[in-house]
Amino acid sequence: MAATSPLPRWAPTPSPSRPLWRWGWGGGATPDARADGGVTGWTSSFFAAVFPWTRRRRVDDRWAPSAGGGVGTFDGVEVPLPAAQAVSLPRAAADVVDDPAVFLTWEDVRVTVPGRTRGSPPARILDGITGHARPGEVLAIMGPSGCGKTTLLDTLAGRLGPEMNQTGVILINGRQEKLAFGTSAYVTQDNVLMSTLSVREAVYYSAHLQLPDTMLASEKRAHAERVIREMGLSDTMDTRIGGRITKGISGGQRKRMSICIEMLTRPRLLFLDEPTSGLDSAASYHVMSHITRVAAREGMTVIAAVHQPSGDVFDLFHGLLLLAYGRMVFFGTVSNATEFFTQSGFPCPHLRNPSDHFLRTINKDFDEGTMESSKANRKTAAEATNILTNAYHSTYSEKTANEIGGTPFRRKEQASFLTKLLVLTRRSFLNMHRDIGYYWMRLGIYLGIGICLGTIFYQVGYSYSSIQSRCEVIMYTTALVTFMAIGGFPSFVEDIKLFRRERLSGHYGVMEFVISNTLSATPYLAVIAVIPGAMMYYLTGLTRGAEHFAYFVATLCMCTLLVESMMMIIAVIVPDFLMGIIIGAGIQGMMMLNGGFFRLPNELPKPVWKYPCYYISFHKYAVQGFYKNEFIGLSFPSDQLIEANATISGLQVLKERLQVEMGYSKWVNLAILFGMMVTYRMIFFVIVKIAEELRLKLRGIRFRRLK
């Protein structure tokens, strides 16, 4: 039987000389919780000014002590506090008090993927997996590498890819239903975090996104710091996470940070994929012991895929599901696992970690090493796996009960749309400010090339040859600014990865991401358009006037926004740095050829290149708008070899030489560019929404399919 005590089996005995609890409540009792650092100060004043929260503060009876006593935050066991010390604490998470516990059951779950060649049978990833997870307990999924641990987690969490086919029954409290926001959380094996933020900032921003507006900003900060301390990250609170450019926190600390973010709402069901990877044995024990404590105290159901835990960590688990290459070798309590292996002829040697013994017995990747058995002298791992599987299904397995007919889930409160939008805009703005590869490197390159262009075409004047010079300056500027926009593609791919993770967890929607990205990027695009643009504009001697310069800068900024919108679409479809840059450069190169500069519009081949490529190329509208802005109102002396003592007006240059469409003004060109930018952003929105709807439909179909 699984452990039913509210305290874990390993819980130490409290010592009067070294108490096992410490103060660290969400109400801001500690100095750290009250200190404003990093993003804390602006968050408090910013949100207090925008959202005048006057609603009552609520208390969660699982976190706050009762009138007669209380429980503090602790390291080992729960220690009742005297009534005099019991205080009323603010609500520390977005829990609904009457949320039902989660009893998750699955029966005969099978997952297949199509064969590698046409006509080949599908490959089985999981084959007839049955089990259950109880509230207040931690179920460990173990097995050799490639046995299907992560696939089983994805199946139970409803995150299988569209190429996988699932059959079987998965029930939540005896029902086939979808998990609402805040009910479940998933900590993936890959730590997808925003590298430019500090630990404190990343958790604070996530708290403001996930926790409801009914909580005060100070309560959210205090709760975030409490969770950070629980994961042992107090010393790294103000250290940046780090990434491809700068060194930051370690891999193990990243893993703990990922767990921090997902545990902010205290979900009723927690999935952990390799929670101890990258951690030393001490850190692994402390992280898993804390998760075990929280599960026991709050009735949380925890399912963790663990590769090879230490003996101390293994003793924390209540249940064990052992997989071997998609087949279930054992499911039951940890103590019964050792007994089962002994009865099957594979006893665990004295003083050996049971988890090491289990994995060594069933790992057939190195089958030249044989297994010793009390029933047979030598057996390979494949033979041992078959013996164990047959023994389990014939004598040890028990039918999983499809219990409990509990209360249906309801969606927990979240932050409002406006709150999420403001938080995401601020976070994205800060990320762009700190990531040198996003805009600052581009600004430096633009300044350098602006000096080169301005000195080469210095004061082109108003001679007949200046017509060609002005066209070359305009085309080069348009091509350079837009083409260099793909330089920020690696940073944007990282943003897309973070968006996908947070979107799957239900932190915010596509609309909030698209709008916040646009709002945060616009000031930087204005800077890299105004400063280099002014340098190039006045050094080359283009048409003077505030209106002309404002149009020049606005068009440059709009072109850059448009290209970034196009790269958003590419990042969703092709989330790879190298391939995305190549595809983006290829698309822009094709648009440049059809922009009306290298080949005049009337000379373009009509099939394909003029209709439709010429009209969907944003270079056409940008270049023609620049031409109108530059040449209207000017006059130039004609070519003296053709006609002496004559002048050519700017309108003649536009109509006859450049073949510009004069049926509308330059502001219409700018409006068209704006419309194309919005269209690209909407295409991105539609692609993500379609992918999401497809995932939800597949999830609904899988939950209702029987073998």
Side-chain angles (χ1 to χ4, degrees), residues 192-193 244 489-499 577:
V192 182
L193 303 166
R244 66 182 189 279
F489 185 77
S491 299
F492 193 75
V493 168
E494 295 298 322
D495 286 353
I496 291 292
K497 289 180 180 179
L498 181 64
F499 161 71
F577 293 165

Side-chain angles (χ1 to χ4, degrees), residues 193-197 239-249 254:
L193 303 166
M194 191 167 281
S195 61
T196 57
L197 300 181
T239 304
R240 292 190 185 178
I241 297 170
R244 66 182 189 279
I245 297 178
T246 58
K247 173 69 175 174
I249 60 178
R254 290 169 185 263

